[in-house]
Amino acid sequence: MSPFEFGVICEVFGIDRSEHGGPVFDFHVTAAEPGPIRTKLGFDILVHEDLSAAADADLIAIPAYEAGAPIHPEILRVVRDAEARGAWVLSVCSGAFVLAEAGILNGRRSTTHWMYAADLARAYPETDVDPDVLFVEDCRVVTGAGTAAGIDAALHIVRKELGAAAANIIARRMVVAPQRDGGQSQFITSPVVESRSDSFAVVTEWMMQNLDRELTVEQLARKSLMSPRTFARRFRADLGTTPTAWLNRQRLLRAQQLLEETEWSLEAIAGDTGFGAAAVIRHHFLKVLQTTPTAYRRTFGSRSARAGN
């Protein structure tokens, strides 16, 4: 198996973060045949527990492995049983092949590392493979793309089960973003756009601190000591999107956070985020997340926020 993807699962679910107010999981590393498990880098990991701990687990997580290698039938049984009883099932990278071989991706959307996406789609045509996203959730079955996308997929499950605050604590300890940029609905996340330099660090930080203000390209260009045309061109080249699109995405992320953590009205959230009106927020939620703010709060909000909606 791949040690990095295995380590991601251990890092998210295997560490006691209670001293920081974070969650504690009853975490087990199990194998069909306990003993040394060879990693792709040549060293072994010694597993002591058999699959009995998986019989009533709330989550079964499968790390990356050598795709195409034989899969122990007991592993497939554990995966099928977990899906049948409504537990979460998570795969990272090539781990999706285990879920597909177990049959639980049939009729579901899925993803895996882009290098393996065509092979997964060809070998298991009953699953709809999307190679362009970080992770996909389809009815409590979550498939993550390669490497660090496993972090996003795992934190998504934490967020759905325990809320944004728990996911944020874990993310902060891991020094990663608690939620990467959105794609089709809140359940499918597209690759995040990252700056290739620190040339816009100051202005983007200022934009984040002033989301409630009307920010124009001309104003941002002046703050960056550039002409509007040069600013827009260099911003897109560096961050991969336009200043307006980047700003709207940050406003949407802020609106999501407020819906999750507060009882503020939609009008109040619109004012704080710079959208201005509830109708504008609704428009962006439907366009980007394919859901309404009310439905989003119902799904992800804290208990008090849901009651106040």
Side-chain angles (χ1 to χ4, degrees):
M1 67 177 182
S2 172
F4 183 92
E5 284 80 356
F6 172 72
V8 164
I9 295 171
C10 295
E11 178 77 14
V12 173
F13 298 107
I15 296 178
D16 182 344
R17 296 182 171 90
S18 56
E19 64 177 302
H20 298 283
V24 180
F25 301 98
D26 181 15
F27 181 76
H28 298 260
V29 177
T30 69
E33 298 176 358
I37 305 295
R38 177 59 54 91
T39 71
K40 294 171 107 176
L41 297 181
F43 61 87
D44 292 348
I45 294 175
L46 186 61
V47 178
H48 299 280
E49 293 190 68
D50 62 23
L51 295 176
S52 58
D56 60 352
D58 300 305
L59 164 67
I60 300 294
I62 308 292
Y65 80 113
E66 188 176 351
I71 304 169
H72 197 290
E74 283 300 294
I75 296 290
L76 299 178
R77 179 189 61 79
V78 162
V79 170
R80 294 186 189 111
D81 289 350
E83 189 269 345
R85 68 174 180 271
W88 287 96
V89 181
L90 165 67
S91 69
V92 181
C93 193
S94 57
F97 285 79
V98 176
L99 276 54
E101 183 65 22
I104 70 167
L105 294 186
N106 292 348
R108 284 187 163 103
R109 299 194 67 192
S110 64
T111 193
T112 187
H113 193 290
W114 59 267
M115 289 174 54
Y116 307 131
D119 291 338
L120 182 65
R122 183 166 48 250
Y124 303 97
E126 293 186 56
T127 180
D128 180 11
V129 181
D130 187 341
D132 298 322
V133 294
L134 290 178
F135 67 86
V136 174
E137 182 206 330
D138 193 326
C139 300
R140 297 175 72 85
V141 174
V142 180
T143 48
T147 323
I151 300 173
D152 301 285
L155 288 177
H156 171 74
I157 294 175
V158 174
R159 197 161 174 268
K160 293 265 325 240
E161 282 292 313
L162 302 177
N168 289 346
I169 289 170
I170 295 174
R172 192 157 50 244
R173 281 287 302 272
M174 294 177 66
V175 198
V176 298
Q179 178 187 5
R180 291 220 264 177
D181 205 10
Q184 181 186 348
S185 88
Q186 63 268 35
F187 306 122
I188 303 177
T189 305
S190 299
V192 66
V193 175
E194 297 179 351
S195 175
R196 291 187 285 272
S197 72
D198 61 359
S199 58
F200 287 95
V202 174
V203 71
T204 53
E205 179 64 24
W206 185 82
M207 292 164 73
M208 291 290 292
Q209 294 172 359
N210 293 274
L211 292 177
D212 59 330
R213 299 174 56 179
E214 182 179 354
L215 302 177
T216 66
V217 172
E218 290 74 16
Q219 181 183 8
L220 298 171
R222 285 196 301 271
K223 193 164 189 65
S224 301
L225 303 178
M226 301 179 194
S227 70
R229 178 177 295 182
T230 299
F231 175 82
R233 176 176 54 80
R234 290 184 56 185
F235 191 98
R236 186 181 186 96
D238 195 71
L239 282 92
T241 189
T242 67
T244 299
W246 190 92
L247 185 61
N248 282 338
R249 186 57 191 140
Q250 305 314 309
R251 285 173 166 157
L252 186 61
L253 288 170
R254 173 64 175 162
Q256 289 176 259
Q257 179 185 9
L258 293 173
L259 286 168
E260 293 168 12
E261 300 177 359
T262 76
E263 301 175 42
W264 291 11
S265 69
L266 202 54
E267 289 292 345
I269 293 174
D272 182 85
T273 57
F275 281 127
V280 179
I281 288 186
R282 293 190 186 98
H283 167 78
H284 284 280
F285 264 75
L286 287 170
K287 180 180 178 181
V288 178
L289 302 178
Q290 296 189 354
T291 189
T292 66
T294 299
Y296 185 89
R297 174 173 271 170
R298 188 181 302 119
T299 301
F300 292 111
S302 65
R303 183 172 301 176
S304 60
R306 289 194 297 267
N309 192 45

